[in-house]
Amino acid sequence: MADSSKTSPSDAAPSKAGRLIRIAVLLVVCLLALAGGLVAAVGPQRAMALLGGGGKPAAPDETHATEAAAHGGGAAGGHGAEAQKNIVVTPFKEIIVNITSTTATGRQTTRFLKLNLALAYDSRIAGAENIEERKLFLRDSFQDYLRQLNESDLQGTIGLVRLKSELLRRARAISDSDAPQEFLIADLIVQ
């Protein structure tokens, strides 16, 4: 009687061939993923240059100049230079307000917040002419907001980003325009 539990050499060959096919397919998929990552990281032209299909790779300065020319920028006064001419920066008088602070023991105290800032706005956008005449109203709105803050609201980069975005939101609401573009903070001191 023959033992049926043993495999014959002909049964082992298809399983080895199947494993080799799976490994080859997996290898091809990995290479395609690697190539896709390379193209996504450096761009199609540089990827082709790295692989030897695109001639010599362009120097970084040449690439930047080509991209700037394609987008209307460049040294000849393109898009960026035109936008800079229309940005007006108007400084505000120094703002000093009391804010709330919590000590390590949990006691509420008062601290001073000193803020020097300037508003950058685009003079081409409708309503930009309202900013200078409503500057006193803007300052009043800023003081109302600043007095509601806690010292912890101003900590870290996220605190500064929140402060700028809230001041910008108020400036746009009061000027009734999208002309306000950004706040520039010269001094922010909590004492």
Side-chain angles (χ1 to χ4, degrees):
M1 287 192 161
D3 190 10
S4 62
S5 65
K6 292 184 179 179
T7 59
S8 66
S10 62
D11 291 339
S15 66
K16 281 186 180 181
R19 265 192 238 150
L20 287 176
I21 290 174
R22 284 188 213 141
I23 290 172
V25 168
L26 183 62
L27 185 62
V28 168
V29 168
C30 288
L31 287 174
L32 287 174
L34 181 65
L38 178 69
V39 169
V42 298
Q45 284 88 11
R46 283 194 175 163
M48 290 302 290
L50 287 174
L51 296 175
K56 82 171 184 107
D61 293 339
E62 293 173 6
T63 304
H64 180 67
T66 305
E67 290 172 359
H71 293 295
H79 216 49
E82 183 179 316
Q84 289 295 328
K85 291 179 185 176
N86 296 313
I87 298 295
V88 178
V89 178
T90 181
F92 284 85
K93 287 202 263 180
E94 181 177 87
I95 299 173
I96 299 175
V97 295
N98 291 332
I99 61 172
T100 309
S101 176
T102 305
T103 63
T105 60
R107 191 175 61 116
Q108 295 283 336
T109 62
T110 303
R111 297 244 175 154
F112 288 108
L113 169 68
K114 176 182 169 185
L115 183 66
N116 280 326
L117 60 107
L119 172 62
Y121 65 93
D122 192 344
S123 61
R124 296 175 297 172
I125 297 176
E129 61 279 354
N130 297 339
I131 292 174
E132 290 297 329
E133 62 189 40
R134 294 184 183 177
K135 200 169 174 180
L136 190 59
F137 296 102
L138 288 168
R139 182 178 163 82
D140 180 59
S141 175
F142 298 162
Q143 284 185 348
D144 287 344
Y145 168 67
L146 293 170
R147 285 193 171 115
Q148 298 172 15
L149 294 177
N150 292 324
E151 183 182 19
S152 61
D153 293 334
L154 299 170
Q155 290 180 344
T157 304
I158 192 72
L160 191 60
V161 169
R162 273 192 226 130
L163 174 69
K164 285 182 169 187
S165 66
E166 183 61 29
L167 294 177
L168 185 61
R169 186 185 69 77
R170 290 171 182 269
R172 287 180 175 169
I174 290 172
S175 68
D176 197 28
S177 169
D178 285 335
Q181 299 295 309
E182 183 179 4
F183 272 96
L184 308 170
I185 296 180
D187 293 318
L188 185 127
I189 300 171
V190 177
Q191 187 176 13

